[in-house]
Amino acid sequence: MTMTQEMEPTSSTIFTEDELNAHQAFRHAFPFFRNNAELTYLDNAATTQKPQGMIDAIADYYANYNANVHRASHQVADKSTRAYEKAREDVRHFINAPSSKEIIWTKGTTESINLVAQSLAFSRYFRQGDEILVSALEHHANFVSWQQLCKKLKLKLVIAPVNAQGIDLNACLALINNKTKLVAISHVSNVLGSIQPINAIINKARLHKALTLVDGAQAIAHLPVDVQKLDCDFYAFSAHKVYGPTGLGVLYGKSEILNALTPYQYGGEMVSNVSTDDACFSELPHKFEAGTPNIADVIGLGATLNFIQAQDKTALALYEKKLYLALYQGLASIPGVKLQGSEKGTSAISFTVCDWHVQDIAELLSQMGFAVRVGTHCAQPLMQVLDTEKGTIRVSLCAYNTYAEIQALINALQSLEDFV
Amino acid sequence: MNSQYHDIINTFEQFASWEDRYRFLMKAGKNLADFPDKYRTEQNLVQGCESQVWLHIEISNDELKCFADADARIVKGLLFILLTPLNGLNAKQIATFDLNGYFEQLALIKHLSPSRGNGLLSIANTIQQTAHKLSE
């Protein structure tokens, strides 16, 4: 045996026993992997898999206590309302919000951002000529929403420049001034996986009395999120990207701001008093939740968050960090691979391969049983900056992925030459 | 049917694995007729593709001639597979050609599924619909 073979890292040399145990217990909770033994799922930035506890909680709700919430005094409605509001408290705890009244259910990050944009517009918060600052790496949800609002209200959309590592902080800070009324930035890039310097951006925005919104879609499953420490005005994320159900999102907002805002959707549940001439809106959070909410998925998210809280979160985070590093280094070792981002990122990595169209790589990887993403990842302005207009291959992992899966992907990429 | 069509059928019959089929697809696009630059227009760009795909149909009398191109190799190979049996057929024959049966025979049928991002299905439909209108 040669030295290099002896020194070849293995799962047991990379991870501690605690980390491996935490990973194994975590993976075991996801039936998807038992049911798809042939598949290597590395598309977690698009959506994560679901723990059995979430699936059971949703089935249990429909089978045993399905009733509309907040509407009736009967016993089943009482049970469903309590479970539904308990989940709101679970989310509050998960992101350390001061009050569960500041947790608003939406159908996803996209709706959370649109809710803020439209409610600010309805509340006449902006004046012609005001500025909204976003960055060039935003997902279209946090880009087009503001771009269109700016067009409608004659505001100026200011775009902070980015490089292959993420937002250019100094350039971004220099763009914040007294005309800036809102700064909307993502916590983690969905393409690069890079963690954005949001603390510094939020601090500067506050000095100029601008509102701050953080798109947390790609952070919520991978970083501890503490909205009080961040001190942002809004934080948005989707349940399905943190092992929860699809069709459900969260908007956290500071209560003093939410209280001052006019809702943009109207209907049942959100009014306290209605006459033929006018209506009084309910208290927070209900004034932003018109209509029957997504009760089952709210309860499902509650079960998911309880499941996550019961894990060894420290060991899982370390495991995921090491797995990401192994993926980064493995990809970097392949001739012709051009990586975007850096090894300090979280979950997602984007790359292209010299002389290869990303579509061809994706097609072959799919044949080999890998689920990865190809394309522009709803971030076309960033693709222009990176000079990858044809898109990139994006691999995104979670703590349930294994080192063997990462090695298999590296081997698969190395075997691409066999097809030329 | 032209000889290239029979070559494709015979070649695929000998393929034992998906790897063989894909090696063929990766190279087959080279055999596509050159795509004239004048046809490389925004209008001829096929919508809904993850790669750039162009289609142009030249019509004279009841004959149609299809030109296609793609910047990704596998899609280009698939375009060659798609267009080959249609070469030399009249409009009515193109309209009624069993493309599903053909792709099924080559074990490439999933590329004609609506969920694929390569636009092959929409190209196949455009060609057959144009041929159908022409033969009416």
Side-chain angles (χ1 to χ4, degrees), chain B residues 32 71 89 94:
Chain B
L32 260 181
D71 60 351
L89 299 187
I94 290 176

Side-chain angles (χ1 to χ4, degrees), chain A residues 222-274:
Chain A
H222 307 287
L223 302 177
V225 172
D226 182 330
V227 293
Q228 294 192 64
K229 262 192 200 152
L230 285 175
D231 203 16
C232 54
D233 296 309
F234 301 102
Y235 195 95
F237 68 90
S238 299
H240 76 98
K241 293 201 201 279
V242 59
Y243 316 110
T246 53
L248 178 69
V250 168
L251 173 68
Y252 156 79
K254 282 184 183 167
S255 58
E256 64 265 32
I257 296 165
L258 290 176
N259 274 323
L261 283 184
T262 309
Y264 82 112
Q265 283 190 355
Y266 302 92
E269 293 258 14
M270 55 82 69
V271 280
S272 57
N273 236 317
V274 180

Side-chain angles (χ1 to χ4, degrees), chain A residues 355 359-360 363 367 418, chain B residues 22 50 73-74 110 116:
Chain A
D355 295 331
Q359 176 72 35
D360 290 323
E363 187 69 51
Q367 282 293 320
D418 300 346
Chain B
Y22 275 76
E50 285 166 353
R73 275 179 280 192
I74 293 171
K110 66 167 193 181
R116 303 300 283 190

Side-chain angles (χ1 to χ4, degrees), chain B residues 16-75:
Chain B
S17 64
W18 73 263
E19 284 92 341
D20 290 337
R21 291 197 299 279
Y22 275 76
R23 266 183 216 110
F24 181 90
L25 287 178
M26 285 282 292
K27 294 181 182 88
K30 285 179 205 145
N31 303 316
L32 260 181
D34 281 343
F35 191 82
D37 272 343
K38 62 177 174 178
Y39 293 153
R40 209 174 293 275
T41 60
E42 195 73 22
Q43 206 189 352
N44 284 338
L45 205 54
V46 180
Q47 292 292 312
C49 296
E50 285 166 353
S51 49
Q52 291 208 299
V53 179
W54 290 269
L55 172 70
H56 182 83
I57 306 176
E58 260 180 20
I59 299 170
S60 55
N61 301 323
D62 74 330
E63 299 265 312
L64 47 133
K65 197 168 175 196
C66 304
F67 296 91
D69 198 10
D71 60 351
R73 275 179 280 192
I74 293 171
V75 179

